[in-house]
Amino acid sequence: MEIYGPTLVYDETCPYIGPLGFDLFCGVSLPLQEALKTLNLKLGKYTDSIDTLLLTNIRSNLLKMTINLNYFYSYYTRITFPNNLNVFKTLLVLKLQGRIVLDVVDSPVCFPSLKILQLICVNFRCEESFTRLLSACPVLEDTLPPNTFQS
């Protein structure tokens, strides 16, 4: 397992989240983590604020990000990748696992440094979303097989 520097794990499945609630706590605390290099999000319920609240509040130059949606409902959480986020410019590794629907069609997202992309149980809104995601990763070197996923 590669170490990329200071790591922070937000685990929504933790039994005590506090009075703010998980989304608000992450939204308030993420901007304070300027030295952060690795972010692991372990989500346990339906959340629609991954891209609108969590991703937009990252202020550091992340190298690795893992989003693991660990819930068993029948619906998927949509991630659209907000436009022009600096966090995507430095990302080397992106791992997404769980009931996620990626929508890259209407978002001009770019991952200019992304070398490793791992998608497990992830759906795409349409075929064009998949094609745009791959074209947004010009230096992509590898996609990891599912058995190497580490959260």
Side-chain angles (χ1 to χ4, degrees):
M1 181 171 152
E2 296 181 40
I3 305 294
Y4 291 98
T7 300
L8 186 59
V9 176
Y10 285 106
D11 188 350
E12 185 182 31
T13 63
C14 181
Y16 180 74
I17 294 175
L20 287 178
F22 182 78
D23 292 348
L24 188 55
F25 173 76
C26 292
V28 169
S29 63
L30 269 173
L32 305 174
Q33 310 300 325
E34 293 181 13
L36 185 63
K37 296 300 174 195
T38 300
L39 175 63
N40 294 335
L41 293 172
K42 296 180 181 181
L43 305 175
K45 67 170 181 66
Y46 174 79
T47 181
D48 60 355
S49 59
I50 294 173
D51 47 8
T52 58
L53 181 62
L54 301 181
L55 296 181
T56 57
N57 281 307
I58 298 171
R59 299 291 180 253
S60 62
N61 294 320
L62 282 183
L63 300 177
K64 180 179 178 184
M65 182 166 53
T66 300
I67 300 174
N68 185 352
L69 291 168
N70 186 22
Y71 56 80
F72 304 102
Y73 301 112
S74 60
Y75 44 80
Y76 283 70
T77 295
R78 186 174 178 176
I79 299 179
T80 58
F81 294 121
N83 302 344
N84 304 321
L85 285 186
N86 288 331
V87 67
F88 299 139
K89 293 178 182 172
T90 58
L91 210 56
L92 299 174
V93 178
L94 177 60
K95 297 181 180 185
L96 302 175
Q97 179 177 14
R99 292 185 171 271
I100 298 171
V101 173
L102 289 181
D103 181 1
V104 190
V105 174
D106 299 324
S107 173
V109 69
C110 186
F111 298 95
S113 304
L114 194 69
K115 293 184 177 190
I116 299 173
L117 174 65
Q118 184 177 27
L119 306 172
I120 300 173
C121 299
V122 172
N123 287 338
F124 291 86
R125 191 188 95 184
C126 61
E127 189 174 323
E128 186 181 355
S129 246
F130 177 70
T131 304
R132 284 200 184 195
L133 176 63
L134 291 181
S135 66
C137 307
V139 296
L140 191 64
E141 294 176 358
D142 199 4
T143 56
L144 298 175
N147 60 350
T148 61
F149 182 80
Q150 296 178 4
S151 52

